[in-house]
Amino acid sequence: MSPAPLPPLRHVVGAAVLYPDPGGGCRVLAARRGPGMSGAGLWEFPGGKVEPGESERDALQRELMEELGLEVVPLWRLGEVERPERSLRLAVWICAAAGEPILKEHDAAQLVAADDLDGIGWSEPDRPFLPGLRAEMTAQARGQG
């Protein structure tokens, strides 16, 4: 008997929102999943599901406004991972933001420096993006971004 087919992948986007650091370089916004959310207490790149007919950019703008009251400008795609065992395809985008987040679903948010990315408990789907994000943040700190 062959194994049951896996369900279709949910297309999800996350935003690595970069803010200038007063000391030079930049920091990325991390949001902690609130009570009642799956993975509560873990940190993530905020975002959500891409609706049918919606672009990743549009989904990011909609989701961040809904979740954090935050206007973002998606700049470029950092990468994508597929997790068939979790029925998930996650793309993360580097974004710029206008304003500060207002917590609606998350219970905390913080700005994290490149050197501190490994010091918080990221949700498992977001971890593969940390090396590329660190490299991008380091390049921006050197004036190469």
Side-chain angles (χ1 to χ4, degrees), residues 23-112:
C26 61
R27 293 180 181 257
V28 68
L29 175 67
R32 190 171 63 196
R33 297 181 64 80
M37 297 174 78
S38 66
L42 295 174
W43 294 87
E44 69 175 355
F45 301 117
K49 186 177 177 188
V50 178
E51 299 295 339
E54 186 176 43
S55 72
E56 288 183 351
R57 288 175 184 266
D58 289 344
L60 282 167
Q61 291 172 319
R62 177 184 51 76
E63 286 284 347
L64 269 77
M65 182 54 70
E66 288 174 5
E67 290 183 8
L68 296 168
L70 192 60
E71 290 185 40
V72 297
V73 176
L75 300 173
W76 63 88
R77 207 170 193 251
L78 184 60
E80 176 182 287
V81 295
E82 286 192 3
R83 303 288 311 276
E85 74 282 2
R86 294 186 65 172
S87 303
L88 178 71
R89 178 174 54 149
L90 172 63
V92 171
W93 284 70
I94 300 289
C95 297
E100 299 296 320
I102 301 165
L103 300 179
K104 297 179 182 179
E105 297 178 12
H106 298 85
D107 66 358
Q110 64 177 314
L111 296 178
V112 183

